[in-house]
Structure formats: structure tokens, C-alpha cells
Amino acid sequence: MEHGYRNIYMDFRDNNEYCGLDRVLRLMQKEGICAQRDSQPLLQMRLQET
């Protein structure tokens, strides 16, 4: 499960807690929270190039 600001925003909406998408992004940036990303596809691309 990835936790980007859009997914966090949707989690809030699913729980009937409403706030703006920009606010979620701004708060995540302020707290230094960033999305977890899968780096494997990038690694696979680099391996194919060599």
C-alpha cells in the first residue's frame, strides 16, 4: 500500500473526515512525510540498459 498524499486524502474521505487535497500535501511536506515508492521497476530498467 502506498501512502501518497492522494491516498491519504482518500482515506480521510472514506472516514468522513474532510479536508482539502492541498492541505494534506502541505501537512505531509511540513512533517517530512513522503510516499513510499517501489524502486524495483527503476532498477529493472537500469539492468536492461546494460
Side-chain angles (χ1 to χ4, degrees):
M1 174 189 265
E2 293 185 24
H3 286 93
Y5 73 98
R6 290 180 187 98
N7 290 334
I8 298 293
Y9 170 75
M10 294 305 290
D11 288 343
F12 276 118
R13 289 195 58 161
D14 290 344
N15 290 319
N16 294 322
E17 298 178 29
Y18 297 98
C19 68
L21 183 63
D22 292 333
R23 175 177 255 183
V24 174
L25 175 60
R26 186 174 55 248
L27 290 172
M28 288 179 68
Q29 289 173 340
K30 180 180 177 184
E31 296 298 321
I33 301 169
C34 57
Q36 294 176 340
R37 296 183 182 174
D38 184 15
S39 62
Q40 192 162 4
L42 180 60
L43 178 60
Q44 289 175 354
M45 287 176 37
R46 288 182 181 166
L47 289 175
Q48 290 175 356
E49 290 175 356
T50 58

